[in-house]
Amino acid sequence: MAIESSPSPPRQAIEDQIARILASPVFSKSDRMSRFLRFISSKALDGQSDDLKEYAIALEVFDKDDSFDPRIDPVVRSEARRLRAKLAEYYETADGDDKVLIELPKGAYAPIFLERPSNGAASERSRAIHPRYLVIALVASLTIAVVAWWLGRRPSPRPVSRSIAVLPFENLTADPANEYFADGLTEEILNALANAPGLKVVARTSAFEFKGKHEDIRSIGKKLDAGLVLEGSVRKDGDRMRITPQLINVVDGYHVWSAEYDRESKDLFAIQREIATAIVGVLGGQPGHAPPQPLDAETYRLYLEGRYHFNKWNSAGMQKAIPLFEKVVERDPKYAPAYASLSGAYGLLAAFGGDASPAGQSKTKARRAALKAIELDPNSSDAWSSLAPHLAEDFDWPATEGAFRKALELNPNSSDAHAWYSELYLTPMGRLDEALRESQAAQALDPISPYTLAGVGKRYYFLRQYDSAIAWLQKALDLEPRFSIAFGPMVHAYMLKGDRPGARRFLESAKVLWPARGLALLSAELLAAEGNSTEALQLLSDASPQDSAGCQVAGIYVALGKQIEAISWLDRAIESRSACFQVIPVDPLFESLHANAGFAALLRKMKLNH
């Protein structure tokens, strides 16, 4: 029998078949697959099959931008495999009345359209094999043989890395007000992964440095010291959302795992847990502690919006976050994460000086919220981290250490817990080698944060390793030139290593970057060390310092040789619980005071026995 070729169907028949497929249950709930099929079919019908390349499809169908690189991101290839499977599923479940067969050949993105024979014709031709399928069978056999040969000779695959960075999910929603939604989802997935035993998860601060930058995945992995990167997108339309996460190996760009979630917004909490659980499963682990689920979708939306403002890390952000967290706990009094966040927001508002309430009110609210979070969820690392600074201010050192150890036991990936344990407990205890190790652990988890870089620099300063201190503090300032936390230690490191000209040069370079009062106090301290006492005292008088600047003023009096005045100002710093009071016992700037009975009295007030 002669071999027949299949005739090409008319265009209208093809278009009718496409509409039929898209209306089927297989495709109607998958907008992504429907867009893909519609786009490639339209191009093929218009004679533009040659234009169906990965780059064009990625931009037109999958909302990628012009930085898309198919060598790194195989989304088109993986989605083409899904489309072939869905077409096969459609024809397997269809009623048999289809007049046109649409196929997507392997290795190509241009579909082919075949006229589907009637049942009688099909029976007559059942003994014949279409040449197209002979070619496909031959290619498939050769492919299988080549793959089998390659698998037999290739080395064992490299183990999948267990260090991961979660990049900010891209907001594909037209409304920029939904930015908090994408950021909140990212942060919650990051937190869920951070609780999983055995994973190293890069902290939010460093991961969010790459928001909107579309940098090469391999470069990001190197900067964050992460072997895997999770990225994705969020499209929200009313009560519906589509989330497409992808887990990528930064060494070769291979997609270790990807998925697509088309759900209602009320399912957001469950989805983020699903994503984290799926990733941990891919890496061969088990998910960690799961925080309680919020009461309803609107409560969770308010919480995510509050976290969005909280993560601005400034006074204005806290003032916006606090009312949102208050609404959350009013709607759901048992939602522990909201209390932990509320505690952090109140504490940071007080630290940033944005609290207009009576003295201490924000700190009291912060403590109360932390205790409530622990009552509701004793396994909340964030709650224990939020409580520990208040215990340190009470000089309850055993409880402070216990809280930090509990926080780190529950979440070893908490960069904040490592940093605060170093700053607020180990440093005032004089356990400086341990403090350095904890600061280094925080920096490894949050590698491009000026806060963690400066934290390492300050530990070297307390260890009297001034050159190392200057190098690390400079790294922090290279990232953020206005990062004033690094200014004082930098000047002191230069001074104490005997390089006053270096201190002077640094101060001159900082004039346009630092608030006038802080700069004036450091300048007065340097002038006093240089022997210009009259000018130093004049600058000090003009600055009218508050108790919160007690350590800086004490440094000036130390340089002037006035120990009584220096100790008096350190006492004021302790009484006001200023940000510097924990370092008083170990700061080399105050070493000349150690033999003074007044300094010993300060240590007793802090319940320290150095």
Side-chain angles (χ1 to χ4, degrees), residues 244-568:
T244 56
Q246 302 176 90
L247 185 65
I248 305 167
N249 187 326
V250 301
V251 175
D252 51 20
Y254 176 71
H255 278 54
V256 179
W257 171 84
S258 63
E260 181 177 281
Y261 299 85
D262 286 292
R263 305 279 183 83
E264 293 184 11
S265 296
K266 67 181 182 180
D267 298 326
L268 178 61
F269 189 89
I271 290 174
Q272 68 196 28
R273 189 67 186 174
E274 281 182 47
I275 293 172
T277 301
I279 293 170
V280 173
V282 167
L283 302 182
Q286 295 292 327
H289 169 67
Q293 186 167 339
L295 189 63
D296 53 44
E298 176 61 14
T299 300
Y300 195 48
R301 185 197 69 77
L302 290 168
Y303 173 72
L304 292 184
E305 189 175 353
R307 291 298 306 179
Y308 175 80
H309 293 296
F310 179 95
N311 286 313
K312 300 297 183 183
W313 277 81
N314 56 37
S315 178
M318 300 307 145
Q319 288 171 343
K320 291 180 180 178
I322 287 172
L324 289 164
F325 293 143
E326 294 280 14
K327 286 182 182 177
V328 172
V329 299
E330 181 182 339
R331 292 172 61 95
D332 188 350
K334 295 185 178 180
Y335 189 48
Y339 285 103
S341 295
L342 187 60
S343 175
Y346 272 123
L348 288 170
L349 182 65
F352 293 141
D355 183 9
S357 65
Q361 189 170 335
S362 284
K363 289 185 177 181
T364 300
K365 291 180 178 179
R367 181 195 298 260
R368 189 182 302 132
L371 290 169
K372 184 65 176 178
I374 292 170
E375 175 191 331
L376 292 169
D377 184 8
N379 292 318
S380 169
S381 174
D382 288 343
W384 286 104
S385 289
S386 296
L387 178 63
H390 302 290
L391 299 173
E393 289 190 351
D394 291 343
F395 308 134
D396 187 346
W397 301 114
T400 302
E401 182 176 29
F404 277 129
R405 286 188 174 276
K406 184 68 173 178
L408 289 168
E409 174 191 332
L410 292 168
N411 182 8
N413 285 300
S414 174
S415 173
D416 287 342
H418 284 287
W420 294 347
Y421 183 37
S422 171
E423 180 88 26
L424 303 180
Y425 178 75
L426 293 172
T427 294
M429 289 293 108
R431 292 159 57 177
L432 298 180
D433 289 328
E434 293 176 72
L436 175 61
R437 287 195 293 271
E438 287 297 318
S439 287
Q440 290 170 330
Q443 194 275 327
L445 289 165
D446 205 353
I448 52 177
S449 160
Y451 179 77
T452 61
L453 289 165
V456 175
K458 288 161 69 178
R459 273 0 92 184
Y460 276 118
Y461 166 73
F462 296 133
L463 285 163
R464 277 68 167 172
Q465 298 181 34
Y466 300 122
D467 288 332
S468 294
I470 290 169
W472 280 92
L473 292 165
Q474 188 58 55
K475 288 180 182 180
L477 292 169
D478 288 342
L479 275 178
E480 177 47 72
R482 296 181 182 274
F483 191 65
S484 59
I485 290 174
F487 283 27
M490 182 74 93
V491 171
H492 295 151
Y494 275 116
M495 289 173 57
L496 293 173
K497 69 174 283 194
D499 185 4
R500 289 174 185 165
R504 176 64 61 192
R505 286 192 299 272
F506 175 75
L507 269 180
E508 289 296 322
S509 69
K511 278 185 177 179
V512 297
L513 301 173
W514 213 36
R517 176 176 293 175
L519 192 64
L521 293 175
L522 276 177
S523 297
E525 187 176 336
L526 183 54
L527 285 168
E530 293 169 338
N532 297 324
S533 57
T534 301
E535 193 174 348
L537 288 169
Q538 185 60 53
L539 272 177
L540 176 57
S541 175
D542 293 342
S544 301
Q546 305 297 314
D547 289 354
S548 59
C551 293
Q552 291 177 282
V553 178
I556 298 170
Y557 282 117
V558 166
L560 291 170
K562 297 179 179 290
Q563 292 197 354
I564 294 176
E565 290 84 349
I567 290 174
S568 174

Side-chain angles (χ1 to χ4, degrees), residues 26-93:
V26 176
F27 277 81
S28 62
K29 295 182 179 180
S30 180
D31 180 60
R32 191 179 179 98
M33 288 293 100
S34 297
R35 289 173 64 193
F36 195 179
L37 178 60
R38 190 182 296 111
F39 177 74
I40 61 176
S41 298
S42 175
K43 287 288 186 182
L45 289 172
D46 291 341
Q48 299 174 3
S49 294
D50 291 343
D51 295 340
L52 289 171
K53 308 295 184 186
E54 279 189 65
Y55 183 82
I57 294 171
L59 268 61
E60 294 293 333
V61 178
F62 301 117
D63 302 311
K64 299 291 182 179
D65 59 28
D66 54 11
S67 67
F68 173 77
D69 186 345
R71 296 170 299 178
I72 299 173
D73 187 346
V75 61
V76 179
R77 298 191 293 278
S78 61
E79 292 302 293
R81 288 194 294 270
R82 290 187 63 216
L83 180 56
R84 291 188 195 98
K86 281 199 171 288
L87 284 169
E89 180 185 354
Y90 165 78
Y91 283 108
E92 287 174 4
T93 58

